[in-house]
């Protein structure tokens, strides 16, 4: 390009200007073409360096078609060439991820080679034509499945969009079905009129020929010329078997074949010659007509080449979308978010903005060893089973639970253009950089990332990497010159939207010159790319951040206690190489290590001590912060578990005491019933005995005496409906703060009043660590120790009356008493979350939750605020549902949750 410009400037002759202009345009076009080819070459090499083909091979295990499996295995997963295309791929993956079961791809074959053969003029076989028909039919069925899903929810629409402008060639499929029976692999008679006539004539001719030969064979058998009648075919002609000694029975017959022993001849009778000739002619005509039909269908397929190939491309795109979703389920991935110059994602700390914000990401190839093993392409049934297993068994598995690989956080602010990663050898610098590069490629390909929460990344047009040894003896390149050659090519094609990754920049030469060259390269790069990430052992590169805010430092953590790397990234810190510590840990002679430490102190004592102090201070601050967080988490966990065990113990105790109380009350009632029956029976027996000996004038007196005795028994065991002494006290009970009362809803446990009764007829009480609002009707005062004997006897009489009434119906406590719902405590079992659902879906889930909830229970409905449509629909259902007694807001400050009380 520079030579072209120079030539243009140094040629002032006006007459040659048009010629020079054409040369300049030609040179510019050639330069652009060269740059594009170089960019594609570097991009392909980077994909191999970052092991993208291995990730594609992971995805291939989740494909449903043979062409999808082959393409993914060869590393041909589509990568978005623009942000819009990447968003479309992500939308397809998200839509597939939301499917309950994957669509059915069975019956779809890669018929591209068959179509190409038909275009080349080759005659397709019945099997090949049937393969085309099955593929067209299955593609149509796949489209209908996606259409049905899209009608249920709009979130599946990106999958349906794949098949826009597709022609399913229904007419071609019907023609093939009309002409060919694919189950029997035969051409049907109705395929053409000539074929139908030929087969009809051939059938009649064969019947005549078969009848004639059977008659001749029977005559031969009766004449002793053969052991049994035999009609067979030899040399494509029908004939009969006859002994050689009886050949004369068929004068003028034609010998078609002789048995291996020579004892049997296979002869064509003279009368069958014309019929056999007709059979040969009709058979040839039938074959010619079948070839013509196959040729016609082959021509139809060749004419539909573009439609069939376009349809296969859309099927492959849908297969890739389903495979990416299955891969995301397999590795418990999260959907990445595209960041842009106008979008800022606030970090967890609440300050600063990040163009890259990834929390807890793991390298997908290292993660594979910790997850389920992969298999080859799956059928529809097995693929559905795998989909369900991934959906149900893996669930939301935390990355922290996996010992390997260690999850890392990558956070790069919008203003940062260069990230310098330092740290020890084998500490994970290169692996972390590769993880970032691979995550960027997966984003462009519309794949989920193995990370926590929502990962945010920008879209890079080129992702270029210089990692590994580029030494070449053929090109006379050393390691250092190989790195410089590749970096030079990378700088030639990068743009403001590019990501470049450089491992060990400036290494392999004199350290002072390497630092100078590295600094110059980074200074050049920062204004020409979106982001550059480099690893280094040069401490001077970490000092660039102090002079320019566009630089950011990161260090790989190293444990000074175990002398082992932890593989975690410390952002904003600088790390030492720890070469001497590593040498000591692997068994180097202590004298050698000690002498090396002396040399380090002599060469750069100030810098070494300063870096050691900064690193130690950074590590200590991080350690202290994590210890505080760990203690706080342990304290919260301890309190939560104590409360959980207390509630569980109380619940278990309540159930046990309730059963014991029921059993005891039942026994008491049974004993009282027996006593009453016994006393009544005694009164009746005495009355009957006295009646036998008493006179007529004494009968009235005996009757009155018996009635009085029976009345006294009934009165002694009846329940007084009037207010007793205790009830009178309860009705006039005045509750005060701090007063202890008995609460029936807590199993008559002793609780304390912590809030005065309100106008709604409830009071807030505390039992242990539990605070609960109960109705005043379930609260009674603690019995006083100075109650009079009369009051005690009246109270006992009331209890006795209650037991007599429970004899009538043990399941009904009282019609006038309000049902107690116990503790109104929210758990996962009594909560239904309607947020994010449409009105129809939310109504279905709410009705199902109300129907399946237990009796005398509460149901927490979380509907959120938003536009209020879901909340209004939920409350309308609660008003009309027969099982809902009442409903109310969960708390005065929470408008997004409603509590319903179920009968």
């Amino acid at each position: 390009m520079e030579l072209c410009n120079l030539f243009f400037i140094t040629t002032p002759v006006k007459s040659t200007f048009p010629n020079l202009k054409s040369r300049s345009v030609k040179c510019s076009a050639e330069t652009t073409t060269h740059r594009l080819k170089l960019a594609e070459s570097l991009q392909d090499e980077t994909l191999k360096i970052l092991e993208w083909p291995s990730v594609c091979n992971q995805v291939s295990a989740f494909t449903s078609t043979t062409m999808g499996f082959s393409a993914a295995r060869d590393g041909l997963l589509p990568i978005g060439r623009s942000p819009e295309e990447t968003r479309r791929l992500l939308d397809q993956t998200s839509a597939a991820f939301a499917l309950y079961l994957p669509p059915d791809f069975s019956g779809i074959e890669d018929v591209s080679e068959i179509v190409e053969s038909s275009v080349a003029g080759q005659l397709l076989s019945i099997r090949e034509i049937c393969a085309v028909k099955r593929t067209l039919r299955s593609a149509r069925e796949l489209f209908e499945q996606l259409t049905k899903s899209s009608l249920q929810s709009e979130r599946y629409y990106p999958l349906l969009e794949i098949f826009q402008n597709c022609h399913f060639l229904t007419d071609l499929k019907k023609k093939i079905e009309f002409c060919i029976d694919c189950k029997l692999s035969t051409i049907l008679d109705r395929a053409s009129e000539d074929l139908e006539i030929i087969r009809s004539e051939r059938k009649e001719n064969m019947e005549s020929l078969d009848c004639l030969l059977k008659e001749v064979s029977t005559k031969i058998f009766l004449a002793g010329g053969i052991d049994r009648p035999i009609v067979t075919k030899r040399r494509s002609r029908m004939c009969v078997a006859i002994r050689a000694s009886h050949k004369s029975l068929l004068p003028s017959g034609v010998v078609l074949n002789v048995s291996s022993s020579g004892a049997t001849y296979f002869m064509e009778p003279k009368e069958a010659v014309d019929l056999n000739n007709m059979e040969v002619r009709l058979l040839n005509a039938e074959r010619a007509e079948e070839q013509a039909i196959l040729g016609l269908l082959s021509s139809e397929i060749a004419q539909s080449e573009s439609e069939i190939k376009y349809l296969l491309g859309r099927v492959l795109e849908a297969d890739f979308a389903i495979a990416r979703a299955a891969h995301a389920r397999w590795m418990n991935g999260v959907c990445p978010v595209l960041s842009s110059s106008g979008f800022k994602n606030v970090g967890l700390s609440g300050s600063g903005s990040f163009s890259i914000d990834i929390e807890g990401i793991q390298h997908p190839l290292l993660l594979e060893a910790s997850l389920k093993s992969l298999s080859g392409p799956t059928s529809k049934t097995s693929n559905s089973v795998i989909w369900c297993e991934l959906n149900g068994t893996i669930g939301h598995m935390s990355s922290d639970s996996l010992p390997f690989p260690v999850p890392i956080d990558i956070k790069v602010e919008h203003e940062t253009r260069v990230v310098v990663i330092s740290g020890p050898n084998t500490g994970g610098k290169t692996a972390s950089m590769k993880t970032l590069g691979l995550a960027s490629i997966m984003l462009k390909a519309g794949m989920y990332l193995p990370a926590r929460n929502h990962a945010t990344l920008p879209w890079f047009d080129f992702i270029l990497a210089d990692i590994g040894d580029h030494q070449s003896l053929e090109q006379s390149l050393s390691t250092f010159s190989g790195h410089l050659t590749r970096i030079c090519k990378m700088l030639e094609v990068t743009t403001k939207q590019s990501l470049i990754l450089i491992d060990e920049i400036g290494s392999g030469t004199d350290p002072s010159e390497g630092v100078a060259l590295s600094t110059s390269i980074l200074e050049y790069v920062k204004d020409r790319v979106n982001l550059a990430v480099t690893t280094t052992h040069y401490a001077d590169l970490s000092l660039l951040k102090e002079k320019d805010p566009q630089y950011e430092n990161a260090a790989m953590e190293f444990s000074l206690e175990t002398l082992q790397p932890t593989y975690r990234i410390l952002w904003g810190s600088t790390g030492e190489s720890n070469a001497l510590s590593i040498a000591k840990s692997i068994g180097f002679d202590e004298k050698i290590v000690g002498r090396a430490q002396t040399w380090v102190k002599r060469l750069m004592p100030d810098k070494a001590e300063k870096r050691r102090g900064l690193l130690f201070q950074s590590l200590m601050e991080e350690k202290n912060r994590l210890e505080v967080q760990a203690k706080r988490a342990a304290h919260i966990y301890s309190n939560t578990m104590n409360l959980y065990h207390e509630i569980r113990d109380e619940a278990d105790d309540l159930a046990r005491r309730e059963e014991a109380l029921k059993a005891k009350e039942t026994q008491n009632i049974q004993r009282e019933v027996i006593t009453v029956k016994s006393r009544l029976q005694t009164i009746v027996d005495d009355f009957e005995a006295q009646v036998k000996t008493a006179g007529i004038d004494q009968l009235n007196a005996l009757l009155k005496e018996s009635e009085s005795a029976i009345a006294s028994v009934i009165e002694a065991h009846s329940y007084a409906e009037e207010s007793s002494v205790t009830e009178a006290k309860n009705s006039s009970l005045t509750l005060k703060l701090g007063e202890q009362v008995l609460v029936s809803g807590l199993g008559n446990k002793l609780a304390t009043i912590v809030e005065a009764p309100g106008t709604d007829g409830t009071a807030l009480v505390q039992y242990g660590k539990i605070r609960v609002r109960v109705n005043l009707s379930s609260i009674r005062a603690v019995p006083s120790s100075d109650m009079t004997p009369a009051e005690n006897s009246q109270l006992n009489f009331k209890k006795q009356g209650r037991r007599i009434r429970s004899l009538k119906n043990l399941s009904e406590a009282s019609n006038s008493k309000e049902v107690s719902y116990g503790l109104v405590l929210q758990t996962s079992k009594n909560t239904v979350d309607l947020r994010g659902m449409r009105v129809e879906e939310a109504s279905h889930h709410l009705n199902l939750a109300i129907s399946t909830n237990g009796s005398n229970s509460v149901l927490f409905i979380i509907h959120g605020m938003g536009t209020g449509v879901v909340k209004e629909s939920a409350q309308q259902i609660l008003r009309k549902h027969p099982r809902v007694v009442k409903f109310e807001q969960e708390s005065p400050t929470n408008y997004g949750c409603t509590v319903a009380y179920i009968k």
Side-chain angles (χ1 to χ4, degrees):
M1 185 67 184
E2 293 177 356
L3 291 176
C4 294
N5 291 335
L6 180 61
F7 181 75
F8 178 76
I9 293 172
T10 57
T11 312
V13 182
K14 188 174 182 180
S15 60
T16 59
F17 181 80
N19 187 33
L20 292 176
K21 184 176 180 179
S22 63
R23 291 184 182 180
S24 178
V25 172
K26 182 179 180 181
C27 186
S28 177
E30 291 177 353
T31 304
T32 303
T33 304
H34 169 71
R35 183 176 177 275
L36 290 176
K37 290 183 178 179
L38 179 60
E40 291 179 0
S41 174
L42 292 173
Q43 187 70 78
D44 292 341
E45 293 174 3
T46 298
L47 293 179
K48 294 178 181 178
I49 290 172
L50 299 179
E51 299 177 274
W52 170 248
S54 298
V55 176
C56 293
N57 190 52
Q58 282 185 350
V59 178
S60 69
F62 300 100
T63 54
S64 303
T65 63
T66 55
M67 56 183 177
F69 176 76
S70 300
R73 186 186 54 189
D74 295 338
L76 299 180
L77 284 180
I79 298 177
R81 295 183 175 270
S82 66
E84 293 73 21
E85 188 174 349
T86 293
R87 287 191 181 94
R88 181 174 61 83
L89 293 174
L90 277 174
D91 290 341
Q92 292 175 3
T93 306
S94 298
F97 191 87
L99 288 173
Y100 179 71
L101 282 176
D104 184 7
F105 285 84
S106 60
I108 296 177
E109 303 177 31
D110 186 4
V111 295
S112 56
E113 293 185 359
I114 297 176
V115 174
E116 290 174 358
S117 298
S118 66
V119 173
Q122 297 181 14
L123 188 68
L124 300 182
S125 65
I126 294 178
R127 181 187 60 80
E128 292 173 331
I129 294 175
C130 288
V132 173
K133 189 211 75 170
R134 283 193 301 269
T135 300
L136 295 177
R137 181 195 62 198
S138 300
R140 178 71 185 185
E141 292 174 352
L142 175 63
F143 173 72
E144 292 173 352
Q145 294 177 58
L146 297 178
T147 303
K148 184 178 180 181
S149 299
S150 298
L151 293 176
Q152 297 175 355
S153 176
E154 293 181 356
R155 59 183 174 179
Y156 304 127
Y157 192 71
L159 292 176
L160 185 63
E161 283 183 328
I162 296 175
F163 290 94
Q164 280 187 347
N165 304 321
C166 275
H167 197 313
F168 293 96
L169 302 173
T170 306
D171 293 339
L172 176 59
K173 180 178 74 69
K174 289 181 178 179
K175 284 184 181 179
I176 297 175
E177 290 176 345
F178 182 82
C179 295
I180 299 177
D181 185 348
C182 290
K183 292 183 179 179
L184 301 177
S185 296
T186 58
I187 299 177
L188 299 174
D189 295 348
R190 64 190 183 190
S192 71
E193 293 182 2
D194 291 343
L195 181 63
E196 187 174 7
I197 294 172
I198 291 172
R199 286 182 174 177
S200 176
E201 293 178 354
R202 186 185 173 198
K203 181 180 179 182
E204 294 177 358
N205 184 73
M206 281 299 296
E207 289 176 353
S208 301
L209 180 60
D210 186 63
C211 181
L212 173 64
L213 293 178
K214 285 182 178 179
E215 182 179 351
V216 173
S217 182
T218 302
K219 290 180 180 179
I220 295 173
F221 168 69
L222 295 176
I226 196 71
D227 294 337
R228 57 184 178 84
I230 297 177
V231 177
T232 183
K233 179 180 284 190
R234 290 292 186 273
R235 296 168 58 183
S236 301
R237 299 178 73 87
M238 301 298 295
C239 58
V240 296
I242 188 172
R243 287 194 181 99
S245 59
H246 292 70
K247 177 182 176 183
S248 59
L249 294 176
L250 292 177
S252 303
V254 180
V255 179
L256 299 178
N257 201 354
V258 181
S259 66
S260 58
S261 62
T264 304
Y265 282 12
F266 297 96
M267 300 183 65
E268 178 184 6
K270 179 180 179 181
E271 299 83 357
V273 172
D274 292 338
L275 293 176
N276 263 326
N277 292 338
M278 178 63 69
E279 167 63 18
V280 172
R281 287 194 298 270
L282 291 175
L283 178 61
N284 292 333
E286 180 182 3
R287 289 176 178 174
E289 186 63 23
E290 288 179 349
Q291 295 291 319
I293 294 171
L294 293 178
L296 180 63
L297 294 177
S298 300
S299 176
E300 292 276 352
I301 292 174
Q303 292 175 6
S304 305
E305 175 195 11
S306 59
E307 291 88 347
I308 294 175
K309 288 189 174 181
Y310 181 80
L311 181 60
L312 289 177
R314 303 290 70 75
V315 170
L316 182 62
E317 186 175 350
D319 189 14
F320 281 154
I322 301 299
R324 292 195 302 266
H327 181 265
R329 289 174 178 268
W330 170 72
M331 67 176 183
N332 193 32
V334 297
C335 181
V337 178
L338 274 174
S339 65
S340 61
S341 58
F343 173 77
K344 291 185 178 181
N345 182 32
V346 178
L348 296 176
S349 61
S351 62
S353 57
F354 298 96
S355 62
I356 300 179
D357 188 359
I358 311 176
E359 181 180 350
I361 188 171
Q362 297 170 288
H363 197 290
L365 299 182
L366 299 178
L367 185 62
E368 181 177 344
S370 303
L371 298 177
K372 292 185 177 181
S373 60
L374 300 177
S375 58
T378 56
S379 64
K380 187 258 176 185
T381 305
S382 62
N383 200 20
S384 301
V385 173
I386 292 175
W387 188 278
C388 292
E389 287 180 353
L390 297 179
N391 191 26
T393 58
I394 292 180
H396 187 71
M397 181 173 56
S398 173
S399 297
D400 290 336
S401 63
L402 298 176
F404 180 81
V406 176
I408 61 173
D409 298 338
I410 304 177
K411 297 179 181 293
V412 180
E413 296 184 354
H414 276 282
E415 295 76 13
T416 301
R417 290 294 172 265
V418 178
V419 174
V420 178
I421 304 178
S422 56
N425 293 299
T426 70
K429 298 190 300 297
T430 305
S432 300
M433 188 168 59
K434 279 188 172 182
T435 302
L436 172 59
L438 195 55
S440 302
I441 297 174
M442 292 174 69
L443 166 72
K444 293 182 67 176
M447 296 178 63
Y448 280 26
L449 303 181
R452 293 192 294 264
N453 302 325
H454 290 289
T456 303
L457 292 94
W459 187 87
F460 301 110
D461 58 352
F462 293 124
I463 302 169
L464 306 175
D466 174 42
I467 301 174
D469 190 1
H470 300 288
Q471 185 185 63
S472 174
L473 296 179
E474 294 179 356
Q475 301 178 13
S476 300
L477 291 177
S478 65
T479 300
F480 177 72
S481 58
H483 281 293
L484 287 186
T485 301
R486 183 169 179 83
I487 293 175
C488 182
K489 292 179 180 179
M490 290 165 53
L491 297 180
E492 186 177 347
V493 300
T494 53
T495 69
K496 284 283 189 178
Q497 291 183 310
S498 300
L499 167 68
I500 64 173
L501 310 171
I502 305 177
D503 188 29
E504 301 291 354
I505 186 171
S507 62
T509 187
D510 180 80
S512 59
E513 293 183 356
V515 170
L517 182 59
S518 301
T519 304
S520 180
I521 292 174
L522 296 180
E523 285 290 326
Y524 178 86
V525 162
K526 72 174 184 179
D527 297 324
R528 289 170 173 81
V529 298
N530 187 315
L531 180 65
V533 181
T534 181
T535 64
T536 185
H537 288 285
Y538 296 144
D540 292 331
L541 295 183
S542 300
L543 301 177
L544 295 176
K545 179 183 178 181
E546 300 177 1
K547 303 176 183 179
D548 192 339
Q550 290 182 304
Y551 287 87
E552 179 59 85
N553 291 329
M556 302 308 299
E557 188 180 37
F558 186 83
S559 174
L560 296 178
E561 297 179 357
T562 62
L563 298 180
Q564 294 293 329
T566 63
Y567 304 106
R568 290 184 173 88
I569 301 180
L570 302 177
W571 289 94
S573 302
T574 58
E576 293 185 352
S577 298
N578 292 291
L580 302 184
S581 299
I582 295 174
K584 183 178 180 181
S585 65
I586 63 177
F588 254 86
D589 193 313
E590 292 184 0
K591 294 181 180 180
I592 298 177
V593 176
R595 190 176 295 111
Q597 289 174 343
T598 303
W599 276 105
V600 169
K601 293 179 181 179
R602 289 180 181 179
L603 292 174
M604 46 180 186
D606 296 335
K607 292 183 179 180
E609 292 297 330
K610 181 179 179 181
R611 287 202 307 274
R612 186 179 293 106
L614 290 175
L615 178 59
F616 182 78
Q617 181 181 359
S618 174
L619 293 176
M620 290 304 298
E621 289 175 355
E622 183 73 11
K623 179 182 178 182
N624 294 336
R625 184 178 66 82
L626 293 176
E627 286 179 351
V628 170
Q629 292 181 354
K631 289 180 181 178
R632 182 180 177 187
H635 179 69
I636 294 174
Y637 175 80
S638 177
N639 291 341
T640 303
M641 292 306 298
N642 290 337
L643 181 60
Y644 165 76
H645 289 303
E646 184 176 348
I647 294 174
R648 187 182 64 179
D649 294 340
E650 288 296 334
D652 295 341
D653 189 54
L654 283 174
R656 182 185 59 78
R657 286 188 285 115
E658 182 181 2
E659 293 296 331
L661 183 60
K662 284 182 179 180
K664 183 177 180 181
E665 287 295 322
T666 302
Q667 292 177 359
N668 292 337
I669 292 171
Q670 290 175 350
R671 283 197 296 268
E672 287 187 8
V673 170
I674 294 172
T675 302
V676 170
K677 289 175 65 177
S678 176
R679 292 183 62 182
L680 291 177
Q681 187 63 40
T682 302
I683 294 172
V684 172
D685 293 340
D686 292 341
F687 174 78
E688 289 178 350
Q690 292 176 5
V691 166
K692 293 179 181 178
T693 59
I696 297 176
D697 56 320
Q698 296 177 339
L699 288 177
N700 289 334
L702 289 175
L703 184 59
K704 291 181 179 179
E705 182 181 355
S706 299
E707 288 177 348
S708 176
I710 292 173
S712 63
V713 172
I714 294 175
E715 183 179 359
H717 293 275
S718 64
Y719 171 68
E721 296 293 340
E722 300 297 331
S723 299
S724 64
V725 176
T726 306
E727 289 172 336
K729 287 186 177 182
N730 286 340
S731 63
S732 59
L733 180 64
T734 302
L735 300 178
K736 300 178 181 179
L737 293 179
E739 182 178 359
Q740 291 187 330
V741 293
L742 295 176
V743 182
S744 60
L746 297 175
N748 290 325
K749 287 283 188 176
L750 198 63
T752 305
I753 301 293
V754 295
E755 181 179 304
T759 57
D760 57 351
T762 62
L764 186 65
V765 300
Q766 180 170 352
Y767 170 61
K769 293 184 179 181
I770 306 171
R771 289 192 175 192
V772 62
R773 188 172 295 278
V774 298
N775 293 322
L776 294 177
S777 59
S778 64
I779 299 177
R780 60 188 180 89
V782 179
S784 177
S785 60
D786 57 350
M787 186 179 294
T788 63
E791 290 173 341
N792 280 330
S793 63
Q794 192 171 3
L795 185 60
N796 292 333
F797 179 77
K798 177 188 173 185
K799 292 180 179 179
Q800 193 177 25
R802 286 176 179 168
R803 289 195 297 269
I804 294 296
R805 187 174 61 171
S806 66
L807 180 62
K808 298 177 182 178
N809 191 350
L810 292 175
S811 64
E812 298 179 1
S814 175
N815 293 331
S816 60
K817 187 176 180 181
E818 186 175 346
V819 177
S820 174
Y821 292 92
L823 296 178
V824 185
L825 187 64
Q826 184 178 1
T827 65
S828 60
K829 294 184 178 180
N830 65 354
T831 302
V832 57
D833 192 349
L834 307 179
R835 290 174 296 180
M837 298 183 183
R838 300 180 67 85
V839 173
E840 295 81 7
E841 188 178 5
S843 302
H844 172 71
H845 279 77
L846 179 56
N847 282 315
L848 183 62
I850 294 174
S851 301
T852 57
N853 225 42
S855 302
N856 297 339
S857 60
V858 293
L859 179 65
F860 289 79
I861 302 104
I862 302 176
H863 44 67
M865 295 301 295
T867 60
V869 177
V870 175
K871 177 180 180 181
E872 182 179 356
S873 174
Q875 293 185 350
Q876 187 70 17
I877 293 173
L878 295 177
R879 291 190 188 97
K880 296 181 180 180
H881 204 287
R883 290 201 66 201
V884 178
V885 179
K886 63 177 182 177
F887 63 93
E888 60 188 9
Q889 189 176 303
E890 194 267 342
S891 70
T893 60
N894 188 0
Y895 295 91
C897 181
T898 297
V899 182
Y901 295 81
I902 311 300
K903 289 183 181 180

